[in-house]
Amino acid sequence: MKRFTVAGAVALVCLTLSSTAAATEAGQWYGRLEIGHSDVEVEVDDLSADDTDTAYGLRVGHYFTPQFAVEGFYSILGDRSIEGVSYDMDAAGLGVVGKKNFGADNTGFFIAGRAGVQSVNTKLSAAGVSLRDRSTKPYFGVGAGYDFDHNNGLSLNYDYNKGDLFNADVTAQSLTLGYDYRFCGPQKYKRQQRGGRFR
């Protein structure tokens, strides 16, 4: 939770600074807070164990068009301790987002997909011994939701994340509820022809 709080504070500061510049650009800066349920599974050879936990995420990005965005994120996918065994898994990454709205003027119901590359940090501790590994892996996710206007939206999102813990495979599947805030409405540019030139 401490890592999530620090990361969230930094990202929100960056969003505040970016919102000033967004007014002069063709797209929208946005931030999304996500919270929900994750299912983490550790598999070694033919042995496997899984557990559930609460997942948190913060995403920051920019829509270059109403259908295409680039975003960065930080997510906590699991952080629990059970009977002397504890694990935590978090990820930071960068990817692209595709989105399709079905309402008027890019509002209303929508579907979305996202994919990219992430750095996954996995840690397992038991009996005073800790194992930690960091790996670079692809990720993907899908979502559906509703944009109430050009600034606010809610979504339900599914994400698949994979990491390594030495010779063990670690996967996390999360289902989260997300709140989007887009910092600037769509820009409407008017071209005026004066003296044979556009300004």
Side-chain angles (χ1 to χ4, degrees):
M1 286 301 296
K2 291 182 180 179
R3 291 175 302 187
F4 178 72
T5 303
V6 172
V10 172
L12 288 176
V13 170
C14 293
L15 278 172
T16 302
L17 295 175
S18 299
S19 63
T20 304
T24 62
E25 297 180 6
Q28 289 182 290
W29 288 95
Y30 69 91
R32 179 187 303 116
L33 292 173
E34 298 177 341
I35 183 170
H37 170 88
S38 67
D39 186 354
V40 180
E41 181 178 4
V42 180
E43 185 175 357
V44 183
D45 297 327
D46 295 330
L47 302 176
S48 64
D50 64 90
D51 194 14
T52 59
D53 199 3
T54 303
Y56 306 89
L58 175 66
R59 296 175 183 267
V60 178
H62 184 267
Y63 277 102
F64 292 92
T65 73
Q67 294 80 34
F68 174 76
V70 173
E71 70 177 14
F73 72 91
Y74 175 74
S75 298
I76 295 178
L77 302 169
D79 188 357
R80 295 194 65 182
S81 179
I82 303 174
E83 297 181 355
V85 178
S86 63
Y87 73 88
D88 64 76
M89 182 178 182
D90 59 81
L94 181 67
V96 296
V97 178
K99 183 179 180 182
K100 171 62 177 177
N101 285 90
F102 295 96
D105 199 18
N106 296 309
T107 60
F109 287 102
F110 68 84
I111 56 175
R114 57 198 188 195
V117 178
Q118 62 183 347
S119 176
V120 184
N121 182 47
T122 308
K123 180 181 177 181
L124 182 67
S125 300
V129 178
S130 295
L131 299 175
R132 181 186 295 272
D133 198 4
R134 182 176 293 277
S135 55
T136 300
K137 297 287 186 179
Y139 74 90
F140 68 87
V142 294
Y146 191 89
D147 284 332
F148 299 97
D149 50 38
H150 288 297
N151 298 106
N152 299 277
L154 289 176
S155 60
L156 186 65
N157 309 280
Y158 166 82
D159 289 281
Y160 180 86
N161 302 270
K162 187 176 179 63
D164 291 332
L165 187 61
F166 299 101
N167 62 331
D169 293 325
V170 184
T171 59
Q173 301 181 68
S174 61
L175 186 66
T176 57
L177 179 66
Y179 166 68
D180 285 43
Y181 184 79
R182 294 172 292 279
F183 279 83
C184 181
Q187 303 300 308
K188 297 180 179 179
Y189 295 97
K190 296 182 179 179
R191 296 185 301 175
Q192 297 180 349
Q193 187 176 20
R194 297 178 180 175
R197 294 182 303 173
F198 289 102
R199 294 184 179 178

